[in-house]
Amino acid sequence: MSQAIVRFGELKVDSFVQGVVNNWLIYSPLPYSKQHSSGLDGDVVISATPTTEIIDADLDVAIDSQYAYAYSIATDNKLKVAFDKTKHPDKGSALEALKCISITYELGHLTPNGGLYIAIFRNSLGEEIHRTTPMPLGQCITVISTFNDTRQIDTGGYLKCEVVPDFVVN
């Protein structure tokens, strides 16, 4: 099976949750990832920091002290990363600590989606700030040529656009 590698900083954060014991970040699904059946598939590797895989129900349970983070990917395919509240008391410190850490995961079976493409816009740190819906290449070019690079973003610098074919994951 094919694999992909992304950095946390390249993924979109859907939400920050404050639990009783832990806080956690919920990221959008890993791009083109295979469908997960539980939080214990074992096919995701997070580099450079001690992590353990858990099920979603354990996101707010104390994390074994030998691990800095615990993560879960359930049937919604969203990556959830939990950490002790004392480690990262707020969303900003967690994002900063994780942004350069990479995730290796298995891709699903990819089937081209009828000649459609997606434009992904990233800031100068490589963080995704906008993603189009699947569209024909001509329309994608129009969106790119009219995209306003002065839109409000957290980080200054240049914008980078990447055009990728759209796939259906089986």
Coordinates of all heavy atoms in Angstrom, one line a residue, residues 106-139:
E106 N -0.9 5.5 5.6 CA -1.2 4.7 4.4 C -2.3 5.4 3.6 O -3.3 5.9 4.2 CB -1.7 3.3 4.8 CG -0.6 2.4 5.3 CD -1.1 1.0 5.5 OE1 -2.0 0.5 4.7 OE2 -0.6 0.4 6.4
L107 N -2.1 5.5 2.3 CA -3.1 6.0 1.4 C -4.2 4.9 1.1 O -3.8 3.8 1.1 CB -2.5 6.5 0.1 CG -1.5 7.7 0.3 CD1 -0.8 7.9 -1.1 CD2 -2.2 8.9 0.7
G108 N -5.4 5.4 0.9 CA -6.4 4.5 0.4 C -6.1 4.1 -1.1 O -5.2 4.6 -1.7
H109 N -7.0 3.3 -1.6 CA -6.9 3.1 -3.1 C -7.5 4.3 -3.8 O -8.7 4.6 -3.6 CB -7.7 1.8 -3.4 CG -7.8 1.5 -4.9 ND1 -6.6 1.1 -5.6 CD2 -8.7 1.6 -5.8 CE1 -7.0 0.9 -6.8 NE2 -8.2 1.3 -7.0
L110 N -6.7 5.0 -4.6 CA -7.1 6.2 -5.2 C -7.5 6.0 -6.6 O -6.8 5.4 -7.5 CB -5.9 7.2 -5.2 CG -5.3 7.5 -3.8 CD1 -4.1 8.4 -3.9 CD2 -6.3 8.0 -2.8
T111 N -8.7 6.5 -6.9 CA -9.3 6.5 -8.3 C -9.5 7.9 -8.7 O -10.1 8.7 -8.0 CB -10.6 5.8 -8.3 OG1 -10.5 4.5 -7.7 CG2 -11.2 5.7 -9.7
P112 N -8.9 8.3 -9.9 CA -9.1 9.7 -10.4 C -10.6 10.1 -10.4 O -11.4 9.3 -10.8 CB -8.5 9.7 -11.8 CG -7.5 8.6 -11.7 CD -8.2 7.5 -10.8
N113 N -10.9 11.3 -10.0 CA -12.3 11.8 -10.0 C -12.6 12.6 -11.2 O -12.7 13.8 -11.2 CB -12.5 12.6 -8.7 CG -14.0 13.1 -8.5 OD1 -14.8 12.6 -9.2 ND2 -14.2 14.0 -7.6
G114 N -12.8 11.9 -12.3 CA -13.3 12.5 -13.6 C -12.6 13.7 -14.1 O -13.2 14.7 -14.5
G115 N -11.2 13.8 -13.9 CA -10.5 14.9 -14.5 C -10.7 16.2 -13.7 O -10.5 17.3 -14.2
L116 N -11.0 16.1 -12.4 CA -11.2 17.3 -11.5 C -9.9 17.5 -10.7 O -9.1 16.6 -10.5 CB -12.4 17.1 -10.6 CG -13.7 16.9 -11.3 CD1 -14.8 16.7 -10.2 CD2 -14.1 18.1 -12.2
Y117 N -9.7 18.8 -10.4 CA -8.5 19.2 -9.7 C -8.9 20.0 -8.4 O -10.0 20.6 -8.3 CB -7.6 20.0 -10.6 CG -7.0 19.2 -11.7 CD1 -7.8 19.0 -12.9 CD2 -5.8 18.6 -11.6 CE1 -7.3 18.3 -13.9 CE2 -5.3 17.8 -12.7 CZ -6.0 17.7 -13.8 OH -5.5 16.9 -14.8
I118 N -7.9 20.1 -7.5 CA -8.1 20.9 -6.3 C -6.9 21.9 -6.2 O -5.7 21.4 -6.4 CB -8.1 20.1 -5.0 CG1 -9.4 19.2 -5.0 CG2 -8.1 20.9 -3.8 CD1 -9.4 18.2 -3.9
A119 N -7.1 23.1 -5.9 CA -6.1 24.1 -5.7 C -5.9 24.3 -4.2 O -6.9 24.5 -3.5 CB -6.4 25.4 -6.4
I120 N -4.7 24.2 -3.7 CA -4.4 24.3 -2.3 C -3.5 25.5 -2.1 O -2.4 25.5 -2.7 CB -3.7 23.0 -1.7 CG1 -4.6 21.8 -2.0 CG2 -3.4 23.2 -0.2 CD1 -3.9 20.5 -1.8
F121 N -3.9 26.4 -1.3 CA -3.1 27.6 -1.1 C -2.4 27.5 0.3 O -3.1 27.2 1.3 CB -4.0 28.9 -1.2 CG -4.5 29.1 -2.5 CD1 -5.7 28.6 -2.9 CD2 -3.8 29.9 -3.4 CE1 -6.2 28.8 -4.2 CE2 -4.3 30.2 -4.7 CZ -5.5 29.6 -5.1
R122 N -1.1 27.8 0.3 CA -0.4 27.7 1.6 C 0.4 29.0 1.8 O 0.8 29.7 0.9 CB 0.6 26.6 1.6 CG 0.0 25.2 1.4 CD 1.0 24.1 1.4 NE 0.5 22.8 1.1 CZ -0.2 22.1 1.9 NH1 -0.4 22.5 3.1 NH2 -0.7 20.9 1.5
N123 N 0.6 29.3 3.1 CA 1.3 30.5 3.5 C 2.8 30.2 3.4 O 3.2 29.1 3.1 CB 0.9 31.1 4.8 CG 1.2 30.2 6.0 OD1 2.0 29.3 5.9 ND2 0.5 30.4 7.1
S124 N 3.7 31.1 3.7 CA 5.1 30.9 3.6 C 5.7 29.9 4.6 O 6.8 29.4 4.4 CB 5.9 32.3 3.8 OG 5.5 32.8 5.0
L125 N 4.9 29.5 5.6 CA 5.3 28.4 6.5 C 4.8 27.0 6.0 O 5.1 26.0 6.7 CB 4.7 28.7 7.9 CG 5.2 29.9 8.6 CD1 4.5 30.1 9.9 CD2 6.8 29.8 8.8
G126 N 4.1 27.0 4.9 CA 3.6 25.7 4.4 C 2.2 25.3 5.0 O 1.7 24.3 4.7
E127 N 1.6 26.2 5.8 CA 0.3 25.9 6.4 C -0.8 26.2 5.4 O -0.8 27.2 4.7 CB 0.1 26.8 7.6 CG 1.2 26.6 8.7 CD 1.2 27.6 9.7 OE1 0.8 28.8 9.4 OE2 1.6 27.3 10.9
E128 N -1.7 25.3 5.3 CA -2.8 25.4 4.4 C -3.8 26.5 4.9 O -4.2 26.5 6.0 CB -3.6 24.1 4.3 CG -4.7 24.2 3.3 CD -5.4 22.8 3.1 OE1 -4.8 21.8 3.1 OE2 -6.7 22.8 3.1
I129 N -4.1 27.5 4.0 CA -5.0 28.6 4.3 C -6.3 28.5 3.5 O -7.3 29.1 3.9 CB -4.4 30.0 4.2 CG1 -3.9 30.2 2.8 CG2 -3.2 30.1 5.2 CD1 -3.7 31.7 2.5
H130 N -6.3 27.8 2.4 CA -7.5 27.7 1.6 C -7.3 26.5 0.7 O -6.3 26.2 0.2 CB -7.7 28.9 0.7 CG -9.0 28.9 -0.1 ND1 -10.2 29.1 0.5 CD2 -9.2 28.7 -1.4 CE1 -11.1 29.0 -0.4 NE2 -10.5 28.7 -1.6
R131 N -8.5 25.8 0.5 CA -8.5 24.6 -0.4 C -9.8 24.7 -1.2 O -10.9 24.9 -0.6 CB -8.5 23.3 0.4 CG -8.6 22.0 -0.4 CD -8.6 20.8 0.5 NE -7.4 20.6 1.1 CZ -6.5 19.7 0.8 NH1 -6.8 18.8 -0.1 NH2 -5.4 19.6 1.4
T132 N -9.7 24.6 -2.5 CA -11.0 24.7 -3.3 C -11.7 23.3 -3.3 O -11.1 22.3 -3.0 CB -10.6 25.0 -4.8 OG1 -9.9 24.0 -5.4 CG2 -9.9 26.3 -4.9
T133 N -12.9 23.3 -3.8 CA -13.6 22.1 -4.0 C -13.1 21.5 -5.3 O -12.6 22.3 -6.2 CB -15.1 22.3 -4.1 OG1 -15.4 23.3 -5.1 CG2 -15.6 22.8 -2.7
P134 N -13.4 20.3 -5.6 CA -12.9 19.7 -6.9 C -13.6 20.5 -8.1 O -14.8 20.8 -8.0 CB -13.4 18.3 -6.9 CG -13.5 17.9 -5.4 CD -13.9 19.2 -4.8
M135 N -12.8 20.8 -9.1 CA -13.3 21.5 -10.3 C -12.4 21.2 -11.5 O -11.3 20.7 -11.4 CB -13.3 23.0 -10.0 CG -11.9 23.6 -9.7 SD -11.9 25.3 -9.3 CE -12.7 25.3 -7.7
P136 N -13.0 21.5 -12.7 CA -12.2 21.3 -13.9 C -10.9 22.2 -13.9 O -10.9 23.2 -13.3 CB -13.1 21.7 -15.0 CG -14.5 21.6 -14.5 CD -14.3 21.9 -13.0
L137 N -9.9 21.7 -14.6 CA -8.6 22.5 -14.6 C -8.8 23.9 -15.1 O -8.2 24.8 -14.5 CB -7.6 21.7 -15.5 CG -6.2 22.3 -15.5 CD1 -5.6 22.3 -14.1 CD2 -5.3 21.5 -16.4
G138 N -9.6 24.2 -16.1 CA -9.8 25.5 -16.5 C -10.4 26.4 -15.5 O -9.9 27.6 -15.3
Q139 N -11.3 25.9 -14.7 CA -11.9 26.7 -13.6 C -10.9 26.9 -12.5 O -10.9 27.9 -11.9 CB -13.2 26.0 -13.1 CG -14.0 26.8 -12.1 CD -15.2 26.1 -11.7 OE1 -15.6 25.0 -12.2 NE2 -15.9 26.6 -10.7

